[in-house]
């Protein structure tokens, strides 16, 4: 039986810097981003707000979706976020994470 997975988009602020990722444990991955466990891009640009995610029952399908989305234009990603989360709310707050200030 395959592991489930999530493709997710994080942002520094509404319409700010975007980061596209894939994980098998979204709650843990959000915590890692918020705690600054990853050096580099997300730490440099303060990308900590979960603004969109999509679950898949099979991690292989998840990885395929993430790889396809890597080629998307920024405008397409923004449109996807705004279709599901027009106010760019931090979705992790619903799981008990503290809000990220703007």
């Amino acid at each position: 039986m395959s592991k489930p997975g999530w493709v997710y988009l994080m942002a520094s602020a509404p319409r700010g810097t975007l980061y596209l990722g894939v994980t098998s444990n979204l709650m843990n991955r959000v915590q890692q981003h918020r705690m600054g466990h990853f050096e580099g891009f997300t730490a440099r640009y303060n990308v900590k707000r979960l603004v969109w995610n999509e679950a898949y029952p099979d991690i292989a399908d998840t990885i395929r979706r993430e790889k396809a989305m890597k080629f998307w234009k920024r405008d397409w990603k923004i449109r996807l976020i705004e279709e599901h989360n027009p106010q760019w709310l931090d979705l992790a707050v619903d799981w008990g994470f503290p809000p990220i200030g703007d």
Side-chain angles (χ1 to χ4, degrees), residues 9-20 41 45 47 49 51-52 68-83 88:
L9 283 162
M10 300 199 66
S12 59
R15 291 187 164 253
T17 303
L18 297 178
Y19 174 80
L20 173 67
F41 184 85
Y45 294 102
V47 178
R49 179 190 312 249
V51 293
W52 175 86
M69 288 179 70
K70 289 277 187 192
F71 294 101
W72 283 22
K73 295 178 182 180
R74 175 181 166 80
D75 290 345
W76 298 354
K77 293 172 189 170
I78 288 172
R79 191 173 317 129
L80 178 67
I81 293 164
E82 292 183 345
E83 284 174 5
W88 291 72

Side-chain angles (χ1 to χ4, degrees), residues 22-37:
V22 64
T23 184
S24 62
N25 186 334
L26 185 57
M27 188 175 280
N28 186 51
R29 183 57 52 91
V30 169
Q31 179 69 21
Q32 290 170 333
H33 281 293
R34 286 177 178 246
M35 299 296 291
H37 286 217

